[in-house]
Amino acid sequence: MAQLASVALVAIVAIVALASIYVVVRAIADPLRGVPGPFWARFSRLWYLREVYEGPIVRITPNEYSIDDPAAEKTIYGLGTKFYKSPWYIASGNPDPTNSDLFTERHPAQHALMRRKVANLYSANTLLRLFVQRLNEVAATGRPINVQHWLQCYAFDGIGYITLSKRFGFLDRCEDARGMFTSLHSYLKYASRIGVVSEVHPIASKLLAKLGSGGMSHMMSFVGAQLQDRQQRLAEKEGGGTDDDFVSRILAQHKADPEKFTFTDVFSTCITNIGAGSDKTSISLSAVMYHLIRNPNMLAELRSELDEKLQPGKTIEDFSFQDAQRLPYLQACIKEALSVHPATGLPLGGVVLSGGAEILGVFFPAGTVIGINTWDAALYRPERWLINDKQQLSRIDGYYLPFGHGSRTCIGKNISLLEMSKLVPVLVYRFDFDLVRPEEELECQNVWFVKQKNINCRVSLR
Ligand code: HEM
């Protein structure tokens, strides 16, 4: 027995020694060893779970680099790119690779095919009245609210409505009654961490499911029940046409060609909408509101633009998306907030294709993972989007990446811009928001989505 234990010990020591030699030799022989980054990123992916580092090209793992260069956007994400999404995306999806969805499908051709199937459903159209009613009620009580949480209720009900023509019901009491925010948050924590070591995703996800911590299970059962209900209604309506909403159109596509557009496609499109389109919209809306609350001069400027453009006999709620798009200061406030606080906070990784790629004079061999982080931290200054200097505008626009870029740009971008353009004018026109603790810095948590934690305000009617 003692002999067996010492053989096992020798074997373990030998494996550890060989692995260490391999890691050190790989780091020394690495043609990209000149790229700066944290020391431990030369040897292991694990440091990525905690640190931040700045520079034009930064090593973030032994085989992964974060790039800060707008010209690289086209190379990595441009339409027709052959770059695969990086292995990080694996942990966000179904462990069964045949059940991928638009967000997690890594193969460029498969991804393009999937995207073509649903692209027409995302052309842009609200829960404004209900949200304003809730704010009116809370304003009457003087009770402080967490603005991010309330906007999350708005965004969740919004995306439920847009996708399934059914609200989840968060705006009824502005509470996470179904535990869905918590579920999505634990899913994001899981995906952002396990994405770093995505090889363990098939085992880790099974283990979590056994422990009853599935993350998305609430959402899946809600979506499943709504789809079943709608299918039944459509069947009863046979010959009588379909409703003109997202879910009817997607089910009609499935009915027309169930092999090309399978029920799994229907389900994963709806789930992806809700996972991808709720928190990111609420984080972006919170960013717009936070910076306006923090900058009273800019808030006053926006309000005077709204006063000026509001036609006699109309209310602020009558402003259409088209009207809002013609308000330069409003659009600059939104764009600037998404610039200084993009909803996602990790590099959007892509695997370098065969033949390699040269970026900022550095050659990255095939198989290396490179990506651009959407964060372009700067002072909040909407005015910088309102200049006439085309060259300067195009330079700053090159760094604007909150929705990603090219072939994998956010498919829900128009929907969320519409939601923001409709809601922000109403909020700033109807209400005052006063931070409960203005002396506190903004606190955020990065779980791939960078969530604000402490935008606590008292709301009052203007
Ligand atoms: C302000 C709100 C939003 C922001 C900031 C945002 C941002 C992003 C970003 C950065 C990506 C990742 C691109 C990549 O991995 O390279 C993405 C992808 C995606 N978003 Fe959004 N998003 C928002 C709202 C929405 C909404 C409302 C929907 C659905 C209705 C949606 C659906 C998707 C989908 C399906 C993808 C995957 C697209 C693909 O890979 O082809 N997003 N979004």
Side-chain angles (χ1 to χ4, degrees):
M1 190 69 184
Q3 205 180 1
L4 204 64
S6 52
V7 170
L9 188 68
V10 170
I12 291 170
V13 172
I15 290 169
V16 172
L18 282 174
S20 312
I21 292 168
Y22 168 75
V23 166
V24 172
V25 169
R26 184 182 59 177
I28 295 169
D30 185 352
L32 295 168
R33 60 188 171 276
V35 176
F39 177 73
W40 289 109
R42 292 178 187 282
F43 308 107
S44 159
R45 280 180 265 168
L46 297 181
W47 83 270
Y48 189 16
L49 300 171
R50 38 186 305 266
E51 275 187 63
V52 177
Y53 205 82
E54 283 180 28
I57 302 181
V58 174
R59 174 197 299 280
I60 47 181
T61 79
N63 187 41
E64 201 168 340
Y65 301 86
S66 175
I67 314 280
D68 180 17
D69 174 32
E73 283 176 25
K74 255 200 196 125
T75 316
I76 310 171
Y77 315 117
L79 293 173
T81 180
K82 294 195 178 62
F83 275 57
Y84 278 60
K85 284 191 181 183
S86 69
W88 181 88
Y89 287 81
I90 293 171
S92 298
N94 191 315
D96 172 0
T98 58
N99 271 335
S100 62
D101 55 64
L102 185 62
F103 178 62
T104 58
E105 174 54 57
R106 297 179 57 216
H107 192 283
Q110 280 298 107
H111 174 263
L113 193 73
M114 251 181 199
R115 199 160 163 124
R116 271 201 298 279
K117 285 196 219 171
V118 293
N120 65 329
L121 300 168
Y122 291 82
S123 54
N125 228 353
T126 182
L127 312 148
L128 216 56
R129 189 189 48 77
L130 204 51
F131 192 59
V132 169
Q133 190 180 324
R134 290 290 93 84
L135 281 177
N136 273 318
E137 288 161 12
V138 82
T141 67
R143 179 168 60 87
I145 60 162
N146 176 336
V147 172
Q148 202 280 333
H149 170 81
W150 277 54
L151 288 168
Q152 201 172 6
C153 294
Y154 173 81
F156 253 89
D157 265 4
I159 198 67
Y161 199 73
I162 287 163
T163 306
L164 301 162
S165 294
K166 199 97 182 185
R167 285 195 305 111
F168 291 106
F170 292 113
L171 283 178
D172 296 342
R173 301 180 56 167
C174 283
E175 280 174 11
D176 180 16
R178 293 169 183 270
M180 273 199 204
F181 299 175
T182 319
S183 300
L184 184 57
H185 188 76
S186 64
Y187 161 78
L188 287 169
K189 262 166 90 175
Y190 171 89
S192 55
R193 286 156 174 76
I194 298 294
V196 177
V197 282
S198 56
E199 304 85 317
V200 305
H201 175 49
I203 297 169
S205 60
K206 277 198 193 105
L207 212 68
L208 275 186
K210 280 222 162 67
L211 294 171
S213 161
M216 296 280 272
S217 54
H218 282 47
M219 231 169 274
M220 287 169 112
S221 55
F222 182 86
V223 172
Q226 295 308 322
L227 283 175
Q228 218 175 1
D229 177 54
R230 188 53 84 89
Q231 267 187 311
Q232 199 171 338
R233 278 180 40 207
L234 287 175
E236 286 161 9
K237 245 174 137 179
E238 198 67 64
T242 59
D243 302 330
D244 187 25
D245 61 5
F246 191 97
V247 67
S248 305
R249 289 168 70 188
I250 201 168
L251 283 169
Q253 238 167 285
H254 167 62
K255 197 171 159 209
D257 192 344
E259 282 197 9
K260 188 167 161 219
F261 201 94
T262 63
F263 192 74
T264 309
D265 288 335
V266 173
F267 191 79
S268 74
T269 304
C270 294
I271 277 285
T272 309
N273 266 11
I274 293 162
S278 51
D279 274 2
K280 281 189 276 185
T281 303
S282 63
I283 292 169
S284 304
L285 273 167
S286 303
V288 180
M289 292 306 296
Y290 178 76
H291 286 291
L292 288 171
I293 296 166
R294 276 278 182 213
N295 293 283
N297 296 345
M298 296 167 189
L299 181 59
E301 176 81 30
L302 176 57
R303 284 172 170 166
S304 72
E305 179 177 70
L306 296 174
D307 282 336
E308 196 188 305
K309 296 286 162 57
L310 194 61
Q311 287 171 2
K314 297 268 183 193
T315 69
I316 193 75
E317 288 79 7
D318 294 330
F319 259 159
S320 67
F321 181 42
Q322 284 75 13
D323 294 333
Q325 279 175 309
R326 284 186 224 109
L327 300 177
Y329 201 74
L330 169 71
Q331 293 306 329
C333 289
I334 294 177
K335 201 160 180 183
E336 182 68 345
L338 271 62
S339 263
V340 301
H341 190 126
T344 61
L346 294 175
L348 306 171
V351 181
V352 176
L353 58 162
S354 68
E358 190 173 315
I359 288 170
L360 286 169
V362 176
F363 181 77
F364 294 93
T368 318
V369 174
I370 55 180
I372 303 180
N373 195 322
T374 52
W375 274 69
D376 172 25
L379 280 180
Y380 183 75
R381 214 164 49 79
E383 288 73 17
R384 72 189 179 113
W385 298 100
L386 299 171
I387 52 172
N388 284 324
D389 182 341
K390 282 199 177 133
Q391 242 178 343
Q392 173 67 356
L393 262 180
S394 128
R395 206 189 68 77
I396 57 173
D397 210 35
Y399 283 96
Y400 184 70
L401 205 63
F403 293 102
H405 183 76
S407 60
R408 44 194 268 194
T409 200
C410 173
I411 204 164
K413 177 179 171 182
N414 288 336
I415 291 178
S416 38
L417 288 176
L418 181 142
E419 284 188 272
M420 288 189 270
S421 298
K422 286 285 290 176
L423 185 65
V424 172
V426 176
L427 295 185
V428 300
Y429 193 83
R430 296 246 172 260
F431 301 98
D432 276 323
F433 294 83
D434 292 304
L435 286 164
V436 177
R437 287 193 196 86
E439 70 285 2
E440 273 182 10
E441 291 282 317
L442 179 66
E443 274 180 52
C444 297
Q445 186 183 16
N446 187 350
V447 283
W448 149 239
F449 295 180
V450 186
K451 295 188 182 182
Q452 305 90 339
K453 296 206 311 201
N454 58 337
I455 314 181
N456 298 313
C457 287
R458 285 204 169 73
V459 184
S460 52
L461 295 180
R462 280 183 74 212

